[in-house]
Amino acid sequence: MAALRPIAPQPPQSIRRVLGRPRIHLVLPARLENQSRRLEERVLVLTAWRLHLFGTKLPPKASSSFNVLEIRSISTPSPTQVRVETERGPFPLAFACPEAAARLTRALGAALGRALPSAPPPWPRPPESPLDTSPTSESSASTGHSVCGGFSETYAALCDYNGVSCREEVQWDVDTIYHAEDNREFNLLDFSHLDSRDLALAVSALAYNHWFRALSCRDLRLGGEVVEQVLHAVSRSPSLEELILDNAGLKADFATRLAAALGEHPAPPLRSLVLAHGPVDDRGLTALSQRFLLLPGGLRRLSLPHAGLGPRGLWALSRALGSNPAFRSRLQHLDLSRNPGLLGAPDGAGLYSFLAQPNALLHLDLASTDCAVDVLFGALLHGCCPRLNYLNVARNTFSHRKARETPPTLRQFFCSAFALAHVSLAGVRVPPDALRSLFQGLAANTHLSDVHLDLSGCELRSPGARVLRELLGGVSAVGSLDLSDNGFDADLLTLVPVLGKNKALKHLWLGKNFNVKARTLEEILQKLVQMIQEEDCSLQSLSVADSRLKARTSILVNALGSNACLAKVDLSGNLMEDVGAKMLAKALQINSTLRSLAWDRNNTTAVGFQDIARAMQSNYTLTFMALPLSDLTAAYRSAPERTDAVWQKIQWCLLRNGRGPKVPADQALRLHRGIVTSTAEQMLCRLSGRVQATARGLRGHPGAQRDLAEARELLREARNARSLFPSLAALGRVVAGDGPVRHLLESVAGDVAKAVDKELQAVLEALAGRAARLCPRALGAAEGRWGGRGVRGAAARRLRPPPGLARGALLEQAGQRIRHQLGEVTLAAVTFLTNAVVEELLRELRRVHRALAQHLGGSPEESGGPPPPPRGDPLNSTDEELGTAIVRGGTPKRGDSGGCFGVPPPPQDTLALQRPKRCRRIRPTSAFLGHAEGPPRRDSPSPPSSPEGALPHCTRARPRPPHRPPSRTPGGSQAEAGGGPPLDEGLEEFFTRRVLPRPPPPPVPPLPPQRRRGPPRNRQDPQPPGEPEPGHHPASTQEQGWSPGSEEAAPPSIDSPRVVEGAGLPSPQAPPPQALPTSGAWPAEQQSPGGEEGGGATLEAPPTAPTGTSNGSRRPVPPKPKRTRRAQSCDKMEAEGGEGGGT
């Protein structure tokens, strides 16, 4: 063989210009044997993934090239010959020396190792060609540690192999984001913007990668190329343990092809399979079940929700689960939910049999599978009690049989479960007996705690509420309870107090249970407020979502301001509008415990969002607010700039609160005093004033001097108690500001700073020692170049910690947090001491007041002292506002059972103040609540009768026609009433008799009649200046005649004068006229042509009212209000009745 011409170590620039950017790894001269068996000189140039063969002529031109992935085998017929078999054909190469042939073999092996780090070489290595395995060799470079298992190199090699440009963004995302997060789940959603071919190449790289353990795709439709590469990765990957394809748009035959791909893998590492929202059907599940029989390691997770499964596929799966022992010991997550009819057929007995055997299940989801819940609990009792943690059987049938008795397995399962944390029976019509068994089992279980029990949509209604009232109080295992949409309605009046008595309950859902009338709804909300305002309330979150409480949501919102237990509240879907948002803003301004809030779907506009944003500036504790997407979108359409500004302000406040600033100490003190202690202090001031007033009336009383001295002492302490809370709080801040904790932190800060210096010095010595062992020569040269203390001295100067690190960390961060917590504890202690002192003073003042009242009631005449205070004390109303019960001697309030603390009140005029059960003040009900929906509520009972015995007419603002002819006189009614005035006195005469005389009008020419439609409308003619407008009913003058002589001859006689409001009458606030005018302009069309009957509701004047000319000093009658349709119809009926009576 002729000698080859030597090639320069570096290729000429012409070859670089031809290749472009790729890095050149190897350049060798060689001879290529062509098809005519002639040898042609070539220059071999190896880049990262491709071997190029250039000619020796200039300009250089590549005669051929091939990717390293195209190599099928490499053989060495002689030490100087290498034969490379590729997909395009053989490449026999001859070299000048054996070293050149060995270099080519090593370079090709290294390139293939970089491209496919997990795949063995497709050709057998020649035994005669020793490979250099030194750390500096190319062959060892492929075995080194690369980023994310060499994904970027494999992806680039595959792109070069397929002739597609490599996407550098894919490489950057994997090498940077995935590597920084140590994320071993390759999510196709991160690359959904790529074309189908580019995405398929990225997936194909997983078949040769050791780094990634999972491949997931959720809500992304995959193309055919991508699906092919997914199956290829399953059949070739050595480390792919999880395959998650949720709503990926798979075809019906994918499950069958997946089973075939699992069969191609010699030892499939798959341990988790999720095929959700895809057509797996019975055929695909049967094929997968056959592969599961041969899967040596089994599966840890099998999730097939909404996959179109049927009884035949379930039978095959149950057979595989029961036959492969690996499933009984390793399967922890089984999800077959949302497959209707799956467990309704007898083929489901196989799954029940698997569940009845001892297994390792932790998570079981059989929602919407037509499962018989009673049969399922029988199977779970035998096989799943020790480890089952999550159970979801929502939207199923409790029993397929018409059995009256509940099987005991339900109670036994809940009594025997050891690790149960979540149970969902949502949408299951649980019979009352089954519900009773469930709670009896939970009550008897001593192993469970903080269980989440979902009973939403179970239609429990009154029978279920009865069971809850009986058994829920003794259940300590339930920490979260969802009772929404159960039709409790009015039963919540008795159910809510039972929920409050369960101190293990931390989270409660009560939405969609408030379909009641307004009065009942307010009572329920008051019960709910009372429950969350208890001092020992254990609730941390409350949801009344989608209850449509409307304006009455403010009853609950007002209680949030002073609430001290709730950290999460959901008020979504209640339509409380902007007024409710304003009330919520007021609550947020003073609340210091709420951390999470949801309030969407409340018809809130930009005005409501502005109120919330303004309130958030004063709130330092709310850190999460669910995006009110529905209301925010509607508000943005109407006022985009305003809505955007206020929402950014809300987000800024939430970000500020998340960074850690707390409520300032002064603000917390003011809030705490205003909400917690001010009620007791006001009660103390009120009672002190009354004790002082009673003591003033006993001056000089010989038998009351001892009690008076004690009263003066108590009053002095009561005055001091008013400043007790701020004084104790200020003292607590002073002591805590310069206490032992601060001194200890300052002393520890110096020790920590010294320890930090020592630790950094030890770190530097360890680093320098490791560098000296690995690179001693380089480190020695660096020591000589740096001089002085060398590299170690320079590194020591760079290892200095920031100044004040220990002091700032201890005093500013840890110390601030400790001081904040100590401040809260100190404030609680101050509150306790203040309440204890005030409560004792109240008790002593009540006792002294009772003793003084006895002296005052027994000796006013003998001692000549002042009379006792009147019973009608106007201060009683303020005591009701404070939530106190005031009991006076002999006449307790309606609803009170006796004196204070159950002691019957003494016969004397004494006063007792009961301390309210809730000591935290609640914001009163807003004014808009009374007229927001329907008429205002009248909570108070009917007022007592007046001294004259007449009851006010509740509907006097609207006249009514007579329903029966007059049959009895007022005198007879009084006799029937037992001597008192009758309740219906004057009502019959009101509609049948004219009571007010009218002055004669001046003679005027008649006006032509006008045609009108419907009832006569009100018309007021101008009056002469200085004369008041006559207050008459137009209906009485339009249809009836008027005779002044008849009016004067028969003046009315009225026993009890009364002002009646009606259509066309002055308001009752205006004083009645004392005389009617004698002259005025009366149109002819408004004069009544008939008799005295048929008049509408008129103003009844006293019998002594003079009839004559009106002087200028009298007030004019106000104009008549607009008449309603009801009043017009009444006038028409009265007019017809008057005409009939006149004839």
Side-chain angles (χ1 to χ4, degrees), residues 514-529:
F514 298 87
N515 188 19
V516 292
K517 294 184 178 180
R519 177 171 298 185
T520 308
L521 177 59
E522 293 183 12
E523 294 177 1
I524 293 173
L525 292 177
Q526 292 292 350
K527 294 283 187 182
L528 196 58
V529 168

Side-chain angles (χ1 to χ4, degrees), residues 955-1026:
T955 57
R956 63 177 181 269
R958 182 177 64 189
R960 290 179 173 83
H963 296 286
R964 60 182 183 273
S967 59
R968 56 185 179 182
T969 61
S973 300
Q974 293 178 4
E976 294 178 4
L983 300 181
D984 57 349
E985 177 185 357
L987 293 180
E988 297 177 353
E989 292 181 349
F990 179 79
F991 297 102
T992 58
R993 184 174 180 179
R994 182 181 301 280
V995 294
L996 287 182
R998 294 194 180 120
V1004 293
L1007 297 178
Q1010 297 181 3
R1011 299 180 61 185
R1012 295 182 180 179
R1013 295 181 180 179
R1017 300 181 60 186
N1018 177 27
R1019 173 180 293 181
Q1020 297 180 357
D1021 294 326
Q1023 302 292 331

Side-chain angles (χ1 to χ4, degrees), residues 108 110 206 238 282 299 395 477 679 751 760 779 781 806 888 924 1006 1045 1072 1105 1124:
L108 291 178
L206 299 178
D282 289 343
L299 293 177
R395 297 176 297 279
T679 302
D751 298 338
L760 291 179
L779 184 61
R888 293 196 173 272
T1124 60

Side-chain angles (χ1 to χ4, degrees), residues 714-769:
L714 290 176
L715 289 176
R716 183 169 61 254
E717 292 190 8
R719 285 191 297 270
N720 295 337
R722 298 179 61 182
S723 60
L724 181 63
F725 185 86
S727 176
L728 294 180
L731 180 61
R733 289 200 305 268
V734 170
V735 174
D738 193 17
V741 175
R742 180 176 182 84
H743 295 304
L744 180 61
L745 289 177
E746 289 180 351
S747 62
V748 171
D751 298 338
V752 171
K754 297 178 181 178
V756 168
D757 296 337
K758 293 181 180 180
E759 183 172 347
L760 291 179
Q761 186 66 26
V763 169
L764 178 60
E765 293 294 335
L767 296 178

Side-chain angles (χ1 to χ4, degrees), residues 128 187 198 419 501 516:
E128 294 85 0
N187 194 345
D198 295 333
K501 294 179 181 178
V516 292

Side-chain angles (χ1 to χ4, degrees), residues 463-525:
R466 191 179 306 112
V467 174
L468 290 174
R469 287 195 299 267
E470 295 176 4
L471 301 176
L472 187 58
V475 178
S476 60
V478 178
S480 303
L481 182 60
D482 191 347
L483 295 176
S484 57
D485 195 14
N486 270 296
F488 289 135
D489 301 337
D491 293 312
L492 287 178
L493 282 172
T494 55
L495 182 58
V496 169
V498 176
L499 295 173
K501 294 179 181 178
N502 191 326
K503 301 309 176 184
L505 199 59
K506 299 178 181 177
H507 310 281
L508 181 62
W509 289 261
L510 287 177
K512 299 183 181 180
N513 281 306
F514 298 87
N515 188 19
V516 292
K517 294 184 178 180
R519 177 171 298 185
T520 308
L521 177 59
E522 293 183 12
E523 294 177 1
I524 293 173
L525 292 177

Side-chain angles (χ1 to χ4, degrees), residues 506-507 539-542 560 563-570 591-597 621-624:
K506 299 178 181 177
H507 310 281
L539 279 184
Q540 299 177 5
S541 67
L542 176 65
L560 294 179
N563 185 263
C565 63
L566 292 179
K568 180 180 180 181
V569 175
D570 189 354
N591 183 277
S592 59
T593 59
L594 203 60
R595 299 293 183 268
S596 175
L597 175 65
T621 56
L622 187 67
T623 57
F624 175 79

